[in-house]
Amino acid sequence: MSRHAIASVTKLRNAFIALEAPPIFLAPALHTTVSFTTPRSQFSTSASRCLRTRDNNKNRGVSALRRTGLKYPVSMSAEPLPQPVLDPKKRSKIKVDENHGLYGFFNKGRTALSTPEEDYAFGRSWSVEELRHKSWEDLHSLWWVCVKERNRLATEKHERERLNAGHGELESQERDRAVRRTQRGIKHALTERWYAWEDAQKAAKRDPEINMRVTEGEPTYIPQDFEEEASDGIVNEQSRAAPAVA
């Protein structure tokens, strides 16, 4: 039935219901209208159910995680793959530098973790009074020894947390605390030297015997008392050596 015919039938039915039918609140079923739907276009013009076609992807289904392997040969397919050597006696020995810098992240035994007894066997930290008598080279060397020790402790801490070892944490913290006290003492001694150098520089600027703008070949410190004594001695010697006038 066409749309025009449906509209005509609906119009005649509504006119008939208006003349003979009771009110809508008495017989609501007689007052129903004929509704019709019109076809609507879908969002996609393609068929809703269609067969999947091959997308010409050569790597479809190849997975490195599932170890599916390649589906077609490549240039390296003819080359034999290296096989792991399971027997330790047949393995080749790799020459390693015994003094390699990465060994600084391990203990003397070069093991992954130190025992709690090894971490707890350490002396006291350096005091500030002892560090005041050290040279700049000694303080510099001691600072980097402390840095290497803290790096080693941090490496073992990370490995201990990874393995969930459950031991050695307290001893490692005590050792790290002693190393940090030594580093704090080094900073204290160097800060004192810095302040002393600043005070000496200010005093030298106010001292007339010190030349702060010295050039090459000139002395930095020229005491005035020595110049006066030297000049007086030269005058006395000249007066003694002069002949008497008749």
Side-chain angles (χ1 to χ4, degrees), residues 11-232:
K11 185 177 181 180
L12 292 174
R13 184 177 179 180
N14 292 338
F16 175 77
I17 291 174
L19 293 175
E20 299 181 1
I24 189 172
F25 61 88
L26 294 178
L30 298 177
H31 292 270
T32 57
T33 58
V34 180
S35 61
F36 59 92
T37 58
T38 57
R40 299 179 180 179
S41 62
Q42 299 179 358
F43 179 76
S44 177
T45 56
S46 59
S48 59
R49 295 180 180 180
C50 60
L51 298 177
R52 291 183 176 271
T53 58
R54 185 176 177 86
D55 56 355
N56 297 326
N57 186 1
K58 296 181 180 181
N59 294 326
R60 179 68 62 191
V62 178
S63 176
L65 298 178
R66 299 180 181 178
R67 300 179 181 179
T68 56
L70 298 176
K71 293 185 177 181
Y72 55 92
V74 294
S75 60
M76 299 298 295
S77 298
E79 298 292 334
L81 297 177
Q83 299 295 330
V85 181
L86 302 179
D87 189 3
K89 298 180 180 179
K90 296 181 180 180
R91 295 174 183 173
S92 59
K93 296 183 179 180
I94 302 175
K95 295 182 179 180
V96 181
D97 187 8
E98 296 295 333
N99 298 322
H100 199 279
L102 291 178
Y103 284 124
F105 291 93
F106 299 93
N107 51 22
K108 295 181 179 179
R110 297 178 180 178
T111 57
L113 287 177
S114 300
T115 60
E117 292 77 10
E118 291 176 351
D119 282 340
Y120 194 72
F122 63 93
R124 63 175 179 84
S125 57
W126 287 77
S127 63
V128 179
E129 181 64 27
E130 294 172 340
L131 295 172
R132 288 193 182 105
H133 301 282
K134 294 294 182 181
S135 63
W136 164 255
E137 290 76 11
D138 293 341
L139 294 178
H140 185 267
S141 301
L142 182 59
W143 174 267
W144 285 109
V145 169
C146 295
V147 170
K148 289 179 62 177
E149 183 67 15
R150 294 197 64 191
N151 285 340
R152 183 188 68 82
L153 294 175
T155 303
E156 291 189 358
K157 179 182 178 182
H158 179 75
E159 186 69 13
R160 195 180 297 109
E161 292 176 354
R162 187 183 69 86
L163 298 176
N164 196 12
H167 62 82
E169 184 177 358
L170 179 61
E171 292 79 8
S172 178
Q173 290 178 357
E174 291 293 333
R175 193 183 187 98
D176 183 71
R177 192 175 293 111
V179 175
R180 285 190 285 111
R181 281 197 295 265
T182 299
Q183 289 183 310
R184 192 181 301 114
I186 294 174
K187 290 182 178 180
H188 187 94
L190 292 178
T191 304
E192 288 181 349
R193 294 184 184 183
W194 172 262
Y195 289 153
W197 179 80
E198 283 188 339
D199 295 341
Q201 192 176 19
K202 293 177 182 178
K205 291 180 179 180
R206 295 190 301 266
D207 193 348
E209 297 181 352
I210 298 177
N211 184 14
M212 297 295 294
R213 299 180 179 179
V214 63
T215 58
E216 185 178 358
E218 295 182 358
T220 306
Y221 176 66
I222 304 176
Q224 296 180 356
D225 297 340
F226 178 77
E227 289 183 350
E228 293 176 357
E229 292 177 359
S231 60
D232 294 342

